């Protein structure tokens, strides 16, 4: 089961609405859903919430170390409370997924994401869960930094927020450790595409019948 939920982002109002803070948006939404307000805890270099669900202590964490040092915060809390990497879920922005979609996976490379890179280093393993929140790709590698540090369009922001809301429906499965079910829920929770309107068949005119005298 997941005992520590982490959302990645950068602190400060200048970053608040940028794509790189999608993990912060997710943890804020989770905090509201659980009615577990986050508060500053310098011991863990971030904002922390603690709650009890189904008799199990659950932690929420927003590292305030800036993205590149996220692992410092995650490792401090996880080690103190003896939370193993496979009981940690990290929500973060994902370039390779379109806005409106979310994917859940365990392990794998950091794929150049600096927050994940530092968590890998601080935990000493990649064997933790990631909730990959799609923010889309600018199409050119050189533009990636500018892309993630800018605000998404209104259309994309709405799509990201809706995907966050849908992903939270898998919370019971995450808490019970039913990760296959959680993956199924999250990966198939994309909104259905609207069906194109069916063409309306126009009535064909039949030749006029001769009048009977």
């Amino acid at each position: 089961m997941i005992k520590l939920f982490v959302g990645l982002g950068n602190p400060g109002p200048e970053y608040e609405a940028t794509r790189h803070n999608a993990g912060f948006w997710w943890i804020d939404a989770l905090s509201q859903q659980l009615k577990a307000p986050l508060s500053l805890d310098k011991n863990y270099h971030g904002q922390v919430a603690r709650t009890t669900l189904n008799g199990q202590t659950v932690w929420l964490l927003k590292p305030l170390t800036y993205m590149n040092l996220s692992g410092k915060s995650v490792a401090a809390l996880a080690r103190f409370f003896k939370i193993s990497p496979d009981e940690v879920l990290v929500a973060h922005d994902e370039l390779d997924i379109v806005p409106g979609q979310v994917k859940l996976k365990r392990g794998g490379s950091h794929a150049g994401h600096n927050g994940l890179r530092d968590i890998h280093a601080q935990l000493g393993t990649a064997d933790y869960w990631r909730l990959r929140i799609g923010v889309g790709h600018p199409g050119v590698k050189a533009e990636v930094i500018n892309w993630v540090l800018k605000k998404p369009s209104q259309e994309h922001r709405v799509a990201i927020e809706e995907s966050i809301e849908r992903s939270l429906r898998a919370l019971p499965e995450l808490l019970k450790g039913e990760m296959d079910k959680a993956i199924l829920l999250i990966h198939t929770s994309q909104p259905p595409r609207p069906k194109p309107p069916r063409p309306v068949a126009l009535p064909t005119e039949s030749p006029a019948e001769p009048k009977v005298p």
Side-chain angles (χ1 to χ4, degrees):
M1 64 169 292
I2 301 300
K3 296 180 181 177
L4 171 58
F5 293 92
V6 182
L8 299 188
N10 286 308
E14 66 270 37
Y15 297 109
E16 188 175 350
T18 63
R19 295 178 177 91
H20 222 18
N21 275 33
F24 272 12
W25 305 345
W26 190 86
I27 209 75
D28 285 339
L30 177 60
S31 171
Q32 291 180 358
Q33 180 168 314
L34 296 180
K35 296 180 173 57
L38 294 149
S39 58
L40 181 64
D41 192 324
K42 293 183 179 179
N43 292 322
Y44 309 115
H45 317 288
Q47 291 183 344
V48 176
R50 178 178 181 171
T51 188
T52 302
L53 297 166
N54 304 324
Q56 175 65 51
T57 299
V58 175
W59 296 89
L60 279 62
L61 173 65
K62 282 172 70 173
L64 298 182
T65 52
Y66 288 95
M67 186 68 80
N68 294 5
L69 297 176
S70 298
K72 179 181 180 181
S73 175
V74 175
L77 195 151
R79 286 176 182 152
F80 188 84
F81 292 103
K82 296 180 172 58
I83 299 170
S84 63
D86 65 339
E87 296 171 328
V88 176
L89 183 146
V90 177
H92 65 90
D93 57 304
E94 177 58 64
L95 289 164
D96 294 330
I97 299 175
V98 298
Q101 294 186 15
V102 180
K103 301 290 184 182
L104 179 65
K105 66 176 285 190
R106 177 178 171 179
S109 76
H110 54 68
H113 192 289
N114 287 330
L116 298 181
R117 189 198 306 272
D118 195 56
I119 294 171
H120 276 41
Q122 295 292 334
L123 291 182
T125 180
D127 192 31
Y128 56 91
W129 289 90
R130 304 94 185 272
L131 191 75
R132 306 159 69 211
I133 303 167
V135 297
H137 196 286
V140 180
K141 187 175 181 180
E143 290 297 319
V144 163
I145 293 176
N146 288 332
W147 178 262
V148 297
L149 293 179
K150 285 184 178 178
K151 297 178 182 180
S153 66
Q154 181 63 22
E155 180 184 0
H156 282 182
R157 177 67 191 246
V158 169
I160 294 167
E161 289 179 346
E162 288 177 349
S163 72
I164 288 172
E165 182 181 343
R166 292 194 308 274
S167 71
L168 288 173
R169 296 175 190 167
L171 183 61
E173 286 70 27
L174 295 172
L175 292 171
K176 287 184 288 187
E178 296 177 349
M179 305 308 283
D180 288 342
K181 289 183 180 179
I183 289 172
L184 186 62
L185 278 170
I186 290 169
H187 290 200
T188 59
S189 62
Q190 300 162 18
R193 292 186 177 182
K195 294 181 179 179
R198 297 178 65 178
V200 179
L202 298 174
T204 55
E205 294 185 5
S206 55
E209 295 182 1
K211 291 183 180 180
V212 179

